[in-house]
Amino acid sequence: MSVSLRGVEKAFAARSAAPIPVLHGIDLEVPDGEMIVIVGPSGSGKTTLLRCIAGLEELDRGSVLVGGRDVTHDDPGERDIAMVFQELALYPHLTVRANIAFGLKARKSPPAEVAVAVADVARTLELEPLLGRLPSELSGGERQRVALARAIVRDPTAFLLDEPLSNLDPALRTRARVEIRTLQRDLGRTAIYVTHDQVEAMTLGDRIAVLRNGRVEQVGAPLELYDHPASAFVGRFLGTPPMSILSSEVLTPDRRKAAAFGIRPERVRLADADGDVKATVEVVEHIGSSTVVHLRTSHGELLARTPGRDVPQPGETVMVSFADRDIRFFESEDGRAVTP
Ligand code: ATP
């Protein structure tokens, strides 16, 4: 089912001062079956937004609709939404089987139905050999899968996932990411996934919503945001290494004024004799698959990423260049994009 947020505002009471606003009028439409990733720096309001959708926080203003129905004043249990938290609260004294079945039993589903549902989800998530174990006898990744199973078995209309992979090591995280994506597509359920990991955002989301200081900075398909960030902030936030933003009075192709421009590291050409900008190499990082060169220019720091390993060394001066089509223009170093 679709999830709609209309003008959602939330402030938290502060002990001695006025309430501190955390969400400033969030509008977001998540169509049925979509996986949207909410991404943003620490404190930008991601978890608060999820909690508002789940009904765990009361809104100060605005509304939440699920499948077109206004659930703003419904209790969490009435919303038919499953939430998987970063801290996986599995019941320590219950087996994996009992943990997964817990919600269904609480709903008084017939035992035969519970058994079938648990068996189904255990097969999907490859948990069958673990059904008799306690959470303390599982690895972090296995616990993660149990928490997901517990959410899936309820067959909710939508999933809310709050940094569900943050406790996993990188290899497991990559695998779990693919599993979650495949599962969500197979189930065809709407999912709202919170992370501060931009790689997760780029790879998991049908769309990404970038949150900054309680406001939606930009919403769109991952590559749309990567190629056409609506602000210097989004340009820096998505991409590893990030877009370099250089300060310079420049004219856009349609002759509008911009005070800064951005360029992706993989679009910077190094050691080009007829280059546009003079730069000094400061640091060279060999990542393995590519090399990242940190350059100092009179317009600010510039990163270049190249597949080769034979690159200029720290202290050397090089000329760099970029194609006009790869340059993005901004009102300032921290400003909105000047289109096109
Ligand atoms: P992170 O990535 O660190 O989890 P986040 O984007 O999820 O951050 P939130 O947890 O939503 O951010 O917090 C947003 C802001 O609201 C923060 O400044 C936080 O300190 C504040 N906040 C969150 N919960 C409460 C609360 N119960 N009382 C007061 N302030 C709160």
Side-chain angles (χ1 to χ4, degrees):
M1 279 198 194
S2 62
V3 176
S4 313
L5 306 179
R6 310 252 165 97
V8 169
E9 290 183 24
K10 176 74 190 167
F12 285 111
R15 206 163 293 169
S16 55
I20 300 165
V22 172
L23 300 175
H24 304 263
I26 303 272
D27 293 312
L28 197 61
E29 296 291 332
V30 188
D32 187 25
E34 182 179 82
M35 165 85 105
I36 190 163
V37 178
I38 314 246
V39 75
S42 189
S44 54
K46 306 182 293 296
T47 297
T48 306
L49 188 62
L50 272 202
R51 290 175 60 81
C52 286
I53 301 169
L56 300 169
E57 298 286 354
E58 215 173 299
L59 311 191
D60 295 334
R61 200 161 294 150
S63 51
V64 177
L65 285 80
V66 177
R69 186 172 71 88
D70 192 331
V71 299
T72 312
H73 302 292
D74 288 2
D75 287 338
E78 297 168 335
R79 298 191 183 201
D80 198 16
I81 290 175
M83 186 153 171
V84 180
F85 293 94
Q86 180 176 356
E87 299 305 329
L88 310 166
L90 299 180
Y91 300 107
H93 58 289
L94 296 183
T95 60
V96 167
R97 185 192 309 278
N99 260 288
I100 298 174
F102 193 87
L104 294 182
K105 282 194 177 156
R107 255 199 246 163
K108 307 239 183 307
S109 304
E113 264 180 38
V114 175
V116 170
V118 172
D120 274 354
V121 77
R123 196 174 322 115
T124 310
L125 289 175
E126 296 174 24
L127 288 169
E128 284 161 315
L130 309 175
L131 285 171
R133 293 205 205 162
L134 292 172
S136 59
E137 297 164 338
L138 302 175
S139 74
E142 288 163 348
R143 260 182 243 154
Q144 182 62 58
R145 295 217 297 276
V146 177
L148 276 176
R150 205 170 52 173
I152 290 166
V153 82
R154 286 177 46 195
D155 194 22
T157 54
F159 290 97
L160 307 178
L161 301 134
D162 190 2
E163 306 233 12
L165 309 183
S166 58
N167 298 331
L168 307 190
D169 66 51
L172 202 53
R173 203 172 162 131
T174 307
R175 245 183 38 221
R177 205 164 69 205
V178 176
E179 275 173 15
I180 287 188
R181 188 61 175 132
T182 311
L183 204 66
Q184 186 265 340
R185 284 214 170 114
D186 290 352
L187 296 171
R189 291 284 184 266
T190 311
I192 305 180
Y193 187 107
V194 157
T195 181
H196 63 258
D197 180 332
Q198 54 87 29
V199 176
E200 234 163 74
M202 290 293 296
T203 51
L204 267 177
D206 292 312
R207 288 189 306 154
I208 296 177
V210 180
L211 216 58
R212 181 191 196 188
N213 297 330
R215 289 191 168 83
V216 176
E217 185 93 353
Q218 189 175 10
V219 190
L223 289 179
E224 188 184 318
L225 267 61
Y226 187 84
D227 289 339
H228 297 281
S231 65
F233 175 82
V234 175
R236 282 197 195 94
F237 197 80
L238 296 178
T240 317
M243 176 178 262
S244 303
I245 311 287
L246 303 178
S247 70
S248 179
E249 288 292 333
V250 276
L251 278 183
T252 66
D254 65 347
R255 308 200 67 73
R256 279 194 267 177
K257 274 195 188 151
F261 67 96
I263 180 89
R264 290 280 175 204
E266 64 274 19
R267 301 291 180 187
V268 175
R269 288 196 295 268
L270 274 177
D272 193 328
D274 311 316
D276 309 310
V277 177
K278 192 171 158 189
T280 308
V281 178
E282 293 202 312
V283 176
V284 173
E285 293 175 313
H286 293 285
I287 296 174
S289 58
S290 63
T291 306
V292 179
V293 183
H294 295 241
L295 300 150
R296 170 73 35 210
T297 77
S298 58
H299 304 289
E301 194 195 19
L302 175 67
L303 301 177
R305 181 174 183 155
T306 144
R309 294 181 181 183
D310 186 15
V311 295
Q313 292 306 298
E316 282 183 40
T317 301
V318 290
M319 293 302 286
V320 295
S321 62
F322 4 85
D324 288 348
R325 66 174 179 278
D326 293 329
I327 295 173
R328 300 290 167 259
F329 300 95
F330 300 101
E331 287 168 356
S332 68
E333 278 179 75
D334 191 30
R336 307 291 303 173
V338 178
T339 48

